[in-house]
Amino acid sequence: MSARALEIAVTSPVGAAVALAGGADRVELCSALELGGLTPSQGLVEAAVAAGPPVHVLVRCRPGGFVHDTDEVDLMVRELVAVLRSGAAGVVVGALHRDRTLDTGALARFVDAARSERPDAEVTLHRAIDHAADPVTAAAGLGALGFTRVLTSGGAATALVGADTIARMVAVAGDVQVMAGAGVTPADVPVLLDTGAAAVHLSAKRLADAAHGGVPMGAGDAGTGHFETDAEVVRAARAAVDAHRP
């Protein structure tokens, strides 16, 4: 197997630069990480691309679940085309039916739109798969849909807890890369790579100081500040990946 990859979730151009300097192979860029991540703006994508690392952009038009109507799917197709035109190397997408099976119609549209815009675009299925009724069965069908990789916690609250299921997903995923993520710390890396996962994903975040005086700015604002990428955590994760011996 080729060398295992390290992906860092970031929310800013500074975060992208910190991740690159710390040894990340690529970044996943989003906004509103505290909401699970939403599609970032065009300007943010362009600035993160300019920072240097390969940028994979989360395309998720709203918080909440992953059952999307036609208008939302149409919007996300427009968003993924826009981020690829802004220099992204790949997109991160997902959609489910109400019965918690993959919405293969929406997913096929996402993959087709991405490859039509950029034939070499990498397409990752995000952690919607962890909300599927059977993540292992879902992983087995991703190759036929044209996905490059899948980000998963094995259907658990954290990737470490879901490690056994991640190993089962690796066994059925074929050429689709399985990337372990959710609550990952550098100390978790050896166990997660022992599953056969091709990569680990972590946010390596720290909480920055709140500066707005404690006055809430909306229902999702606890007044506790925002997240920044922690260079020390990125370096530690890189060292753990490099030290792993299958």
Side-chain angles (χ1 to χ4, degrees):
M1 178 178 289
S2 60
R4 310 297 179 85
L6 173 65
E7 179 177 285
I8 301 295
V10 303
T11 58
S12 70
V14 171
V18 169
L20 179 63
D25 296 288
R26 58 180 176 264
V27 300
E28 181 195 43
L29 179 71
C30 68
S31 62
L33 189 59
E34 66 278 6
L35 299 177
L38 298 175
T39 310
S41 69
Q42 177 182 345
L44 177 50
V45 175
E46 292 173 350
V49 170
V55 177
H56 295 242
V57 177
L58 177 65
V59 176
R60 183 179 177 222
C61 64
R62 58 159 173 77
F66 303 106
V67 179
H68 294 289
D69 61 25
T70 300
D71 288 341
E72 290 175 336
V73 172
D74 289 345
L75 173 58
M76 287 189 286
V77 168
R78 292 172 66 93
E79 289 181 329
L80 74 84
V81 169
V83 302
L84 290 170
R85 289 179 179 175
S86 295
V91 292
V92 184
V93 296
L96 298 174
H97 289 301
R98 292 193 181 279
D99 65 359
R100 297 170 59 208
T101 58
L102 295 181
D103 184 343
T104 55
L107 297 178
R109 281 196 64 193
F110 296 152
V111 173
D112 289 346
R115 299 275 164 65
S116 294
E117 180 61 34
R118 180 171 175 168
D120 64 345
E122 297 187 4
V123 186
T124 300
L125 179 67
H126 60 48
R127 291 190 58 223
I129 198 167
D130 293 323
H131 295 258
D134 186 343
V136 177
T137 297
L142 296 180
L145 290 169
F147 277 88
T148 308
R149 70 178 57 85
V150 56
L151 170 63
T152 182
S153 66
T158 68
L160 190 62
V161 172
D164 288 346
T165 300
I166 293 172
R168 293 168 57 210
M169 295 170 76
V170 170
V172 302
D175 292 335
V176 176
Q177 301 168 23
V178 177
M179 178 166 56
V184 175
T185 70
D188 301 331
V189 167
V191 173
L192 296 177
L193 293 183
D194 281 344
T195 67
V200 291
H201 166 107
L202 59 157
S203 58
K205 63 181 181 290
R206 64 183 177 196
L207 192 62
D209 186 36
H212 60 53
V215 179
M217 299 299 290
D221 178 21
T224 55
H226 65 281
F227 293 121
E228 294 179 337
T229 304
D230 189 320
E232 183 176 342
V233 176
V234 177
R235 289 193 295 269
R238 178 76 262 171
V241 171
D242 291 343
H244 182 261
R245 295 293 180 267

